[in-house]
């Protein structure tokens, strides 16, 4: 950050970067992966095989007391907390070094796993509060805390059961490593731009980029060679002409403007 970098060097580097990606600026990000997995979970958990991977708080006790009672079906709103938390995790991931190391699909899946873990920890910490809410009979607050526990690792194994087991094990190993990396983003690890940022360094870069234009540099001087200087000259000339035209007829309209008297020879 302390090395002097000129504007021309920044623009040259940007052009090299565009040329390196063959001017293909289509970006694949993990947000769509989170949405796709959420939609797939919503349909998969409605099946008998998928419903076995999700449980609501206290559902096991109810099934033990009333075995004939059917389990509550999973709806889209039940997955909303995990989806929203996963998107917030992706917000931190996309401004870090993680997208340079893993594909968007793996980042989105790992974000959902970390979000699911955070929700389960939140449920355990609020379990005492949930009991008091249920005793008070406040249905709105009790519904807000009802979040299903989903076995996402089992979901991955079921969805990829047609693939070789060694490939699935390798994938799950990478996802576990990636989950650890996502947990460290809140501490500013992996150069996360949303946490632990030194604002002084950011201001230096912002000042340099602020001077850059789309495809070149405009000269600060108002010389005749630059387009900006010509425009300023034209504006000044136009203002001077408008000012001279506006002075005519000002004051007493009966008094004509002064005219030059020819010299008598």
């Amino acid at each position: 950050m302390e090395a002097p970098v000129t504007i021309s060097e920044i623009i040259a580097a940007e052009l090299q970067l565009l040329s390196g990606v063959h001017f293909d600026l289509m970006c694949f990000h993990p947000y769509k992966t989170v949405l796709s997995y959420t939609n797939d979970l919503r349909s998969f958990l409605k099946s008998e095989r998928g419903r076995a991977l999700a449980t609501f708080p206290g559902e096991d006790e109810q099934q033990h007391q009333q075995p004939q009672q059917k389990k509550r079906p999973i709806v889209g709103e039940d997955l909303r907390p995990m989806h929203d938390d996963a998107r917030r995790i992706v917000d931190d991931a996309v401004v870090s070094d993680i997208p340079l190391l893993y594909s968007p699909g793996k980042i989105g899946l790992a974000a959902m796993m970390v979000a699911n873990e955070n929700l389960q920890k939140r449920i355990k910490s609020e379990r005492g509060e949930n009991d008091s809410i249920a005793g008070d009979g406040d249905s709105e607050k009790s519904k807000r805390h009802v979040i299903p526990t989903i076995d996402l690792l089992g979901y991955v194994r079921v969805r990829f059961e047609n693939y070789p087991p060694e490939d699935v094990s390798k994938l799950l190993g990478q996802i576990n490593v990636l989950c650890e990396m996502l947990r460290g983003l809140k501490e500013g690890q992996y150069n996360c731009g949303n946490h632990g940022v030194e604002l002084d360094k950011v201001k230096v870069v912002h000042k340099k980029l602020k001077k850059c234009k789309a495809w070149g540099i405009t000269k600060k001087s108002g010389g005749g060679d630059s387009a900006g200087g010509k425009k300023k000259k034209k504006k000044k000339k136009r203002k001077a002409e408008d000012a001279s035209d506006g002075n005519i007829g000002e004051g007493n309209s009966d008094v004509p403007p002064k005219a030059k008297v020819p010299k008598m020879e």
Side-chain angles (χ1 to χ4, degrees):
M1 298 299 298
E2 298 179 356
V5 181
T6 62
I7 298 175
S8 58
E9 291 175 344
I10 295 175
I11 295 177
E14 289 178 349
L15 292 175
Q16 290 180 3
L17 177 61
L18 291 173
S19 178
V21 298
H22 304 289
F23 296 91
D24 184 6
L25 301 181
M26 182 177 291
C27 179
F28 296 96
H29 51 72
Y31 293 103
K32 192 172 183 179
T33 303
V34 172
L35 179 61
S36 300
Y37 275 118
T38 304
N39 291 333
D40 185 66
L41 270 173
R42 183 174 56 181
S43 60
F44 175 72
L45 293 178
K46 291 179 180 179
S47 64
E48 184 177 355
R49 192 177 184 183
R51 187 61 181 84
L53 299 176
T55 56
F56 285 96
E59 191 175 53
D60 294 336
E61 297 178 0
Q62 294 178 0
Q63 286 292 317
H64 182 71
Q65 296 174 0
Q66 300 176 354
Q68 297 179 354
Q69 186 178 2
K70 293 183 178 180
K71 292 183 177 181
R72 171 191 161 184
I74 302 291
V75 296
E77 288 299 321
D78 296 329
L79 303 177
R80 182 180 294 275
M82 181 175 61
H83 170 270
D84 294 343
D85 278 13
R87 284 185 63 91
R88 284 189 282 269
I89 294 172
V90 171
D91 288 341
D92 295 338
V94 294
V95 291
S96 67
D97 295 340
I98 292 179
L100 303 176
L101 304 174
Y102 293 92
S103 62
K106 294 178 181 178
I107 296 173
L109 181 58
M112 292 188 66
M113 289 186 174
V114 174
N116 189 37
E117 293 174 3
N118 294 338
L119 288 173
Q120 301 316 314
K121 292 178 181 178
R122 198 179 306 167
I123 290 174
K124 290 180 180 179
S125 63
E126 296 176 353
R127 184 165 294 174
E129 182 181 352
N130 291 343
D131 295 338
S132 62
I133 291 173
D136 295 339
D138 193 341
S139 59
E140 293 184 1
K141 292 183 179 180
S142 61
K143 287 180 181 178
R144 184 181 59 188
H145 290 275
V146 176
I147 300 174
T149 302
I150 302 174
D151 183 9
L152 289 180
L153 289 176
Y155 162 76
V156 173
R157 291 190 182 95
V158 172
R159 277 311 199 199
F160 294 95
E161 61 183 355
N162 295 327
Y163 290 82
E166 56 271 14
D167 292 345
V168 178
S169 299
K170 182 179 179 181
L171 173 64
L172 293 177
Q174 292 178 349
I175 294 299
N176 289 331
V177 174
L178 184 52
C179 287
E180 290 294 331
M181 297 174 68
L182 293 178
R183 296 186 190 101
L185 293 178
K186 291 291 185 182
E187 302 174 359
Q189 297 180 11
Y190 306 103
N191 295 322
C192 181
N194 292 340
H195 304 280
V197 181
E198 297 183 13
L199 296 180
D200 294 337
K201 294 182 178 180
V202 175
K203 289 179 181 179
V204 174
V205 177
H206 178 69
K207 287 181 180 180
K208 289 183 177 294
L209 294 177
K210 195 174 181 181
K211 298 177 182 178
C212 299
K213 301 299 180 182
W215 293 106
I217 308 169
T218 58
K219 295 182 179 180
K220 290 184 179 180
S221 61
D225 296 336
S226 62
K230 291 181 180 179
K231 288 183 179 179
K232 287 182 180 179
K233 282 188 175 181
K234 288 182 180 180
K235 286 183 180 179
K236 289 181 180 180
K237 186 176 180 181
R238 195 178 300 115
K239 286 182 180 179
E241 291 177 355
D242 295 341
S244 61
D245 294 340
N247 291 333
I248 298 176
E250 290 182 357
N252 190 357
S253 60
D254 297 334
V255 180
K258 293 183 180 180
K260 291 183 178 181
V261 180
K263 292 181 180 180
M264 300 296 293
E265 293 181 356

